[in-house]
Amino acid sequence: MAYRTIDADLVLQTLERLRLRIKERFPNAGLGNVCAELAVLATDTKSHVTKLAKPMIWIRVGVALVLAAGAGFAGYGIHTIGYQSGATEMLSLVSALESAVNLLLVVGAGVFSLTSLEARLKRHTAMEALHELRSIIHVIDLHQLTKDPVMFGAKLTKASPDRKLSPFELVRYLNYCSEMLSLSGKLAALYAQDFNDPDVIEAASDIEQLATNLSQKVWQKITIVQTSGKAMSALENLI
């Protein structure tokens, strides 16, 4: 099973290593701070996933108490019916049976409400955390938005963003963004891995798809830089 599931601890270690790599390569870039925030979310994710996998004891105790109370009242009702059946009219028997049916309905509704409450509370926790992951994915995308490889050698205007990165540095920067997007998708997958809730699984799948789509955009830029570099090298060799 160790190679069939995502290990939250390994994701955390990978993120911490990535944060150090970004800090060493680009000490003044805001991307390192975003990676640090992603590492914090990863820690929260590990905590949330651990809690989601465990039953809520107080709810389970509540279900047991409701069932015990229902069984007790039902037993008392049956005892009363048996005691009075020989001395009372049929109308009393029908009334007692009607009360027993109503009791069963109330107990069933209470049990259903408590059991669904656990799922609702866990779903709320997971959906809030997934919303935070979706937000930081968009933040990562914003950091690579102005890193346009086709602008190398182009004339800059006053409103042009700073383009101080060399082709090599740009590839590293974009690659770091791609890694962060991929790890964000893995964090989302952790919520669907151990918590079998349709809404959570769908939301996690949407976030994974979002991260994948944005990562593909980043890799298109990386390909352009690498292709341009090869073309320049070939031209220099010809000259």
Side-chain angles (χ1 to χ4, degrees):
M1 293 297 292
Y3 296 98
R4 297 184 182 182
T5 58
I6 302 173
D7 190 326
D9 289 325
L10 292 179
V11 176
L12 275 168
Q13 293 174 18
T14 304
L15 271 171
E16 179 60 21
R17 192 178 302 114
L18 177 58
R19 184 189 68 81
L20 294 174
R21 289 163 56 201
I22 295 173
K23 183 179 179 180
E24 291 171 357
R25 181 78 65 181
F26 305 106
N28 299 320
L31 189 65
N33 295 330
V34 178
C35 190
E37 286 297 319
L38 185 58
V40 172
L41 284 181
T43 303
D44 294 341
T45 297
K46 179 184 176 182
S47 176
H48 290 326
V49 169
T50 301
K51 291 180 180 178
L52 291 175
K54 296 179 179 179
M56 293 184 172
I57 301 301
W58 62 275
I59 291 181
R60 303 295 174 91
V61 171
V63 171
L65 290 175
V66 170
L67 289 174
F73 282 118
Y76 176 77
I78 293 173
H79 174 73
T80 302
I81 292 172
Y83 177 75
Q84 296 180 350
S85 59
T88 60
E89 300 177 354
M90 182 61 67
L91 182 61
S92 300
L93 180 61
V94 172
S95 178
L97 288 174
E98 182 180 359
S99 299
V101 171
N102 291 334
L103 176 63
L104 289 175
L105 291 175
V106 171
V107 171
V111 171
F112 176 79
S113 178
L114 285 173
T115 53
S116 62
L117 175 62
E118 180 175 0
R120 292 197 304 270
L121 291 174
K122 289 184 175 181
R123 184 185 305 120
H124 178 73
T125 299
M127 296 299 275
E128 279 193 340
L130 288 171
H131 177 72
E132 291 183 333
L133 280 174
R134 183 182 291 107
S135 297
I136 201 167
I137 285 174
H138 285 294
V139 173
I140 297 169
D141 183 51
L142 285 173
H143 276 74
Q144 67 84 31
L145 198 61
T146 58
K147 305 300 185 291
D148 193 349
V150 302
M151 296 304 294
F152 278 117
K155 183 178 179 180
L156 300 180
T157 65
K158 292 182 179 179
S160 296
D162 292 334
R163 304 187 189 280
K164 300 178 181 178
L165 299 179
S166 66
F168 172 78
E169 290 175 330
L170 179 58
V171 168
R172 298 311 306 150
Y173 190 97
L174 292 173
N175 188 68
Y176 293 152
C177 291
S178 178
E179 289 185 43
M180 290 171 64
L181 289 169
S182 178
L183 289 168
S184 299
K186 299 301 178 288
L187 291 176
L190 281 170
Y191 286 97
Q193 180 172 270
D194 297 319
F195 183 44
N196 190 21
D197 181 89
D199 293 337
V200 173
I201 292 174
E202 182 180 0
S205 179
D206 290 342
I207 291 177
E208 287 184 88
Q209 188 61 51
L210 173 64
T212 299
N213 292 340
L214 294 178
S215 182
Q216 288 175 349
K217 287 172 51 181
V218 173
W219 272 100
Q220 288 175 356
K221 292 184 177 183
I222 293 175
T223 302
I224 292 174
V225 177
Q226 293 175 336
T227 303
S228 300
K230 291 178 181 178
M232 289 297 296
S233 298
L235 182 60
E236 291 175 356
N237 292 333
L238 288 175
I239 295 175

